Amino acid sequence: MEISQQHVPPCTASETELRQALEKAGRRFTRQRAAVFAYLKGVDSHPTAEQVFASVRRTIHKISLATVYKALEALVAAGVAARLVSEDGTARYDGRSDAHYHLRCLQTGQVRDLPLPYDPQLLDRLAPQLSAWLRQEGFEITGHRLELIGRFRRS
């Protein structure tokens, strides 16, 4: 069932936050972007754009794949979603914008969140010489990404 502009319910707190984040990034709030965002926030599977499209299309029948791609890029630009690109160039999207770690299955392409707390000092502890060298070179570490790559024995 397609939602018409006249029948859109009032914004929830998360939609208000989404609207503010999009506007801060110079992007407009649209119901398509809100639907894509709601889908990403409701799953932990790190879907591809095509998977997001297939799901959101059940609610907004006339949404196009191009609109989903644009919505995803707007959400990433606004900092409310993340794009995870694998070595083969496949992009998956994450509704969590906080710093966290991932597992990636080489066999299925599946990406899952790793249930470890983010550690901003991880690089300093793992490779103090690297951190010292980077500081000497004038490179300030502002964050890091950790992705463990392997195969799930069972999915």
Side-chain angles (χ1 to χ4, degrees), residues 106-117:
L106 292 170
Q107 190 169 356
T108 65
Q110 183 181 22
V111 177
R112 293 186 189 171
D113 291 335
L114 185 60
L116 290 176

Side-chain angles (χ1 to χ4, degrees), residues 41-90:
K41 293 302 274 185
V43 298
D44 60 1
S45 61
H46 303 75
T48 63
E50 292 79 7
Q51 291 168 326
V52 174
F53 170 66
S55 182
V56 172
R57 192 170 186 192
R58 294 180 194 137
T59 306
I60 303 177
H61 300 296
K62 293 186 179 182
I63 196 167
S64 69
L65 180 57
T67 299
V68 169
Y69 271 107
K70 290 175 187 173
L72 290 166
E73 293 310 311
L75 296 174
V76 169
V80 296
R83 181 186 328 103
L84 310 169
V85 181
S86 67
E87 291 176 5
D88 68 0
T90 303

Side-chain angles (χ1 to χ4, degrees), residues 73-146:
E73 293 310 311
L75 296 174
V76 169
V80 296
R83 181 186 328 103
L84 310 169
V85 181
S86 67
E87 291 176 5
D88 68 0
T90 303
R92 293 184 170 272
Y93 293 87
D94 190 348
R96 283 184 61 185
S97 57
D98 64 310
H100 62 284
Y101 305 123
H102 294 104
L103 298 170
R104 180 181 303 270
C105 179
L106 292 170
Q107 190 169 356
T108 65
Q110 183 181 22
V111 177
R112 293 186 189 171
D113 291 335
L114 185 60
L116 290 176
Y118 181 81
D119 181 356
Q121 280 79 42
L122 181 64
L123 290 179
D124 286 334
R125 287 201 324 277
L126 290 178
Q129 300 86 359
L130 174 62
S131 295
W133 180 81
L134 290 172
R135 278 192 289 279
Q136 180 182 341
E137 293 297 313
F139 186 83
E140 177 187 1
I141 299 171
T142 59
H144 63 273
R145 294 184 184 149
L146 175 66

Side-chain angles (χ1 to χ4, degrees), residues 25-40:
R27 308 294 178 110
R28 290 185 316 115
F29 175 90
T30 65
R31 67 187 179 100
Q32 293 88 348
R33 289 175 181 172
V36 168
F37 179 69
Y39 175 72
L40 285 179

